Amino acid sequence: IHDIGRVSLPITPSQAKTLKAHSWKTNDDVFTNIYQVEEHSIDIQNPLWDSSLSKLIKTVAFKLGIRPDDLSAKLDMLLYMEKGSSIDWCSDVEEDDNIVGSMLIQLPSVFTGGKISVFDGDEEVDEEDEANFITSFNMGGPNNEAEFACHFVCHYSDCQYEIEEITSGSRVLLRYSLCYSINDVAS
């Protein structure tokens, strides 16, 4: 991260302190204690990242019902969450008509809590049926898998989502916009 240097994962307490000093903190009705770093300040140096991301985009395209050649991902920001951080139910407001969704990639992190839930119904769903439209992801937290591997969740732009409060430790996420563009494939 520019102005910080290399960040090891899981992030160390001293690196977290430096990251927080070089980011902006969002604390409002929806975002509680979320630290954000803009994409132009992020430089991913892992030589396998681009090929791994490309494979992940193909998986995401399949899950979303989009032809893999028509989906790409654009890094938006890094999110840092620590004990007490959460995101209440919200949806992403996209200014670009080509953006069809969002993807969060959780980098190796040590934390508890922080379950991510996605609501894929509409506002007219009966309260008793609401649970049928919510999918939740623990992101490796309960089994301590999060410390050793990346995890991801994706959703369409019109879906609401929440991230429950982190109860201990910290989590580092990369937020990507999922962009749709029709690419002609030669026959």
Side-chain angles (χ1 to χ4, degrees):
I1 299 174
H2 301 180
D3 298 328
I4 296 175
R6 286 186 174 202
V7 176
S8 60
L9 297 169
I11 194 167
T12 66
S14 64
Q15 288 176 323
K17 184 177 180 180
T18 303
L19 181 133
K20 289 166 39 176
H22 288 87
S23 62
W24 86 88
K25 183 178 182 180
T26 305
N27 219 352
D28 56 28
D29 293 341
V30 175
F31 296 88
T32 303
N33 298 327
I34 306 293
Y35 296 87
Q36 302 177 39
V37 177
E38 293 282 348
E39 82 284 348
H40 59 79
S41 296
I42 301 167
D43 181 26
I44 299 173
Q45 297 178 349
N46 181 333
L48 301 176
W49 185 259
D50 289 339
S51 63
S52 296
L53 182 62
S54 179
K55 290 176 188 173
L56 178 59
I57 296 304
K58 290 183 187 319
T59 299
V60 167
F62 176 75
K63 290 182 178 289
L64 296 178
I66 298 172
R67 196 173 68 162
D69 291 338
D70 295 342
L71 191 67
S72 62
K74 178 183 154 294
L75 180 61
D76 293 327
M77 68 182 70
L78 178 145
L79 301 172
Y80 174 75
M81 302 177 73
E82 60 187 3
K83 183 178 179 182
S85 296
S86 66
I87 298 177
D88 202 3
W89 286 106
C90 64
S91 58
D92 296 326
V93 177
E94 306 297 351
E95 297 175 9
D96 183 340
D97 290 339
N98 292 331
I99 297 176
V100 295
S102 297
M103 177 173 62
L104 295 172
I105 298 177
Q106 176 183 283
L107 301 176
S109 301
V110 178
F111 66 94
T112 58
K115 179 173 69 174
I116 299 176
S117 297
V118 177
F119 177 73
D120 59 1
D122 60 31
E123 294 176 10
E124 298 176 20
V125 172
D126 291 335
E127 197 170 306
E128 60 192 44
D129 291 331
E130 192 173 90
N132 296 328
F133 294 94
I134 296 176
T135 306
S136 297
F137 306 89
N138 288 319
M139 306 291 279
N143 300 324
N144 297 323
E145 297 169 3
E147 182 177 357
F148 304 104
C150 294
H151 295 268
F152 80 97
V153 63
C154 60
H155 59 83
Y156 284 108
S157 294
D158 61 351
C159 291
Q160 291 191 1
Y161 66 95
E162 77 167 347
I163 302 178
E164 293 180 3
E165 183 177 330
I166 301 289
T167 54
S168 69
S170 64
R171 165 189 266 165
V172 178
L173 299 161
L174 296 175
R175 182 191 183 279
Y176 284 84
S177 290
L178 297 173
C179 306
Y180 176 79
S181 62
I182 296 175
N183 291 305
D184 292 330
V185 177
S187 320

